[in-house]
């Protein structure tokens, strides 16, 4: 839902005939000097002088004819490895006994499997989120709600509400090396590359990469600055860059919070004093000129 809203907002002012959503590209061909032809699955030809690749490396290699890529481009792209993941939205409590009967937010299960060749083993993991606890949704409203990533055993189809497949950057030395070499082929021959693997693998990295390409490669003007993304192997901390105004607002909110907490504590103490020491309570009432009338 959020990504769809973002796409709609970004394309709102574009002419409808210039926007091609849900269009499958079958192949990319050279069409003259500095021109590219995109062949769609229904046979249409779309001509562009600049292409931005926002897909996995293997998908890029599939779209290009091998002879149209340089040796350096092919080496970098084929080493931008990704892993496939499956997310299942379901309500199968038999798969989530541990977290469905407790206040746990998530549960992690691991399993090792043997490679076909060699004696090495690889560790696989399965992660389940308790959406009721995570999002504060009472189970009495919609029943138990879970999201399981890469389930070892699929939930019963009766309890499945949705299934999604997606990819994440694969944390390998080859991927990190290819990521470091990516700037050497960026914006060359009218080709740009921007996806999750240009940063740390998050959706925000894809958006940031697209904005950087729009500004640095295509000359777009933005009404805001772009926070630069850091690669997977970067230890650069994320800075908040808070200004004086932000600090003043935070201090003010903190003082208000302390005042409210002290007020609540004072009311609790006054209530306790009135309960255990009725005489003191009567004294407070006289000081506040509060009269107590007894029924006749």
């Amino acid at each position: 839902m959020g990504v769809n809203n973002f796409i709609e907002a970004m394309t709102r002012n574009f002419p409808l005939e210039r926007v091609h959503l849900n269009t499958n590209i079958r192949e990319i061909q050279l069409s003259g000097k500095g021109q590219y032809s995109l062949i769609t699955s229904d046979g249409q030809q779309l001509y562009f002088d600049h292409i931005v690749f926002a897909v996995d490396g293997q998908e890029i290699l599939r779209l290009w004819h091998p002879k149209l890529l340089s040796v350096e481009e092919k080496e970098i792209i084929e080493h931008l490895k990704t892993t496939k993941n499956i997310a299942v939205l379901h309500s199968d409590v038999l798969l989530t006994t541990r977290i469905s009967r407790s206040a746990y937010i998530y549960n992690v299960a691991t399993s090792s499997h043997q490679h076909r060749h060699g004696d090495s083993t690889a560790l696989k993991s399965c992660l389940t989120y308790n959406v009721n606890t995570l999002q504060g949704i009472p189970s009495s409203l919609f029943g138990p709600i879970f999201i399981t990533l890469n389930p070892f055993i699929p939930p019963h189809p009766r309890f499945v509400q949705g299934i999604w497949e997606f990819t994440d950057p694969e944390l390998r030395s080859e991927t990190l090396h290819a990521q470091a070499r990516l700037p050497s082929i960026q914006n060359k021959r009218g080709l740009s590359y921007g996806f999750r693997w240009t940063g740390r693998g998050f959706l925000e990295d894809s958006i940031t990469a697209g904005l950087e390409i729009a500004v640095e490669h295509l000359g777009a003007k933005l009404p805001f600055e772009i926070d630069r993304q850091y690669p997977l192997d970067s230890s650069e901390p994320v800075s908040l860059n808070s200004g004086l105004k932000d600090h003043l607002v935070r201090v003010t909110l903190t003082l208000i919070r302390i005042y409210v907490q002290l007020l609540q504590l004072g009311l609790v103490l006054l209530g306790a004093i009135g309960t255990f020491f009725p005489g003191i309570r009567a004294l407070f009432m006289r000081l506040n000129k509060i009269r107590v009338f007894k029924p006749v």
Side-chain angles (χ1 to χ4, degrees):
M1 179 65 72
V3 177
N4 291 335
N5 292 338
F6 177 79
I7 294 175
E8 291 176 1
M10 293 291 290
T11 60
R12 185 175 299 136
N13 297 325
F14 293 162
L16 295 179
E17 64 274 8
R18 301 288 299 276
V19 180
H20 305 273
L21 300 178
N22 300 319
T23 302
N24 294 324
I25 304 300
R26 187 180 65 194
E27 185 182 357
I28 299 176
Q29 298 177 352
L30 286 175
S31 178
K33 187 176 181 180
Q35 288 285 329
Y36 298 98
S37 174
L38 274 62
I39 312 299
T40 64
S41 57
D42 57 359
Q44 296 186 51
Q45 283 190 320
L46 306 175
Y47 297 94
F48 300 93
D49 57 4
H50 199 109
I51 298 178
V52 178
F53 291 98
V55 293
D56 295 333
Q58 297 303 313
E59 184 69 11
I60 297 175
L61 295 177
R62 185 192 67 81
L63 294 172
W64 275 112
H65 191 281
K67 294 183 179 180
L68 299 180
L69 288 175
S70 66
V71 176
E72 184 182 19
E73 289 173 334
K74 185 177 180 181
E75 286 180 354
I76 294 175
I77 294 172
E78 68 182 4
H79 285 103
L80 291 172
K81 301 291 186 179
T82 56
T83 58
K84 293 183 179 180
N85 299 281
I86 298 177
V88 183
L89 176 65
H90 66 96
S91 56
D92 192 345
V93 296
L94 295 179
L95 295 181
T96 56
T97 306
R98 180 179 178 183
I99 63 175
S100 60
R101 298 179 181 177
S102 63
Y104 290 125
I105 295 178
Y106 62 89
N107 179 50
V108 179
T110 58
S111 174
S112 59
H113 68 281
Q114 198 81 15
H115 285 295
R116 293 182 179 180
H117 304 286
D119 298 328
S120 61
T121 58
L123 192 65
K124 298 178 63 178
S125 61
C126 169
L127 176 63
T128 297
Y129 290 98
N130 186 337
V131 180
N132 299 102
T133 304
L134 187 64
Q135 299 292 337
I137 302 175
S139 57
S140 58
L141 192 60
F142 297 107
I145 306 174
F146 307 102
I147 295 179
T148 300
L149 302 179
N150 303 320
F152 297 146
I153 302 175
H156 193 284
R158 177 184 175 186
F159 302 109
V160 174
Q161 284 76 42
I163 301 176
W164 296 269
E165 294 186 17
F166 61 97
T167 59
D168 278 327
E170 186 174 348
L171 296 179
R172 300 176 58 182
S173 58
E174 294 88 349
T175 304
L176 299 178
H177 185 59
Q179 190 183 58
R181 296 177 59 193
L182 189 61
S184 65
I185 63 173
Q186 282 280 29
N187 200 23
K188 303 292 177 62
R189 300 195 301 140
L191 303 175
S192 300
Y193 306 88
F195 202 42
R196 290 190 300 272
W197 33 256
T198 57
R200 293 181 173 178
F202 299 105
L203 172 63
E204 292 81 1
D205 295 314
S206 300
I207 297 174
T208 303
L211 293 175
E212 288 180 342
I213 290 173
V215 173
E216 298 176 3
H217 301 179
L218 303 176
K221 302 295 183 181
L222 298 179
F224 52 84
E225 295 183 359
I226 303 175
D227 288 337
R228 300 300 176 185
Q229 55 191 347
Y230 299 103
L232 289 168
D233 60 344
S234 174
S235 58
E236 187 75 22
V238 179
S239 60
L240 297 178
N241 296 325
S242 300
L244 178 60
K245 183 178 179 180
D246 296 325
H247 287 296
L248 290 176
V249 171
R250 290 184 180 183
V251 171
T252 303
L253 293 176
T254 302
L255 292 176
I256 293 175
R257 181 181 178 184
I258 294 174
Y259 174 78
V260 172
Q261 290 178 341
L262 290 176
L263 181 61
Q264 292 176 341
L265 179 61
L267 293 176
V268 171
L269 292 176
L270 287 176
I273 291 175
T275 301
F276 293 101
F277 303 99
I280 297 179
R281 179 183 179 185
L283 178 61
F284 276 114
M285 294 175 68
R286 292 194 189 96
L287 292 175
N288 289 295
K289 298 181 180 181
I290 299 177
R291 296 181 180 180
V292 179
F293 296 93
K294 296 182 179 180
V296 179

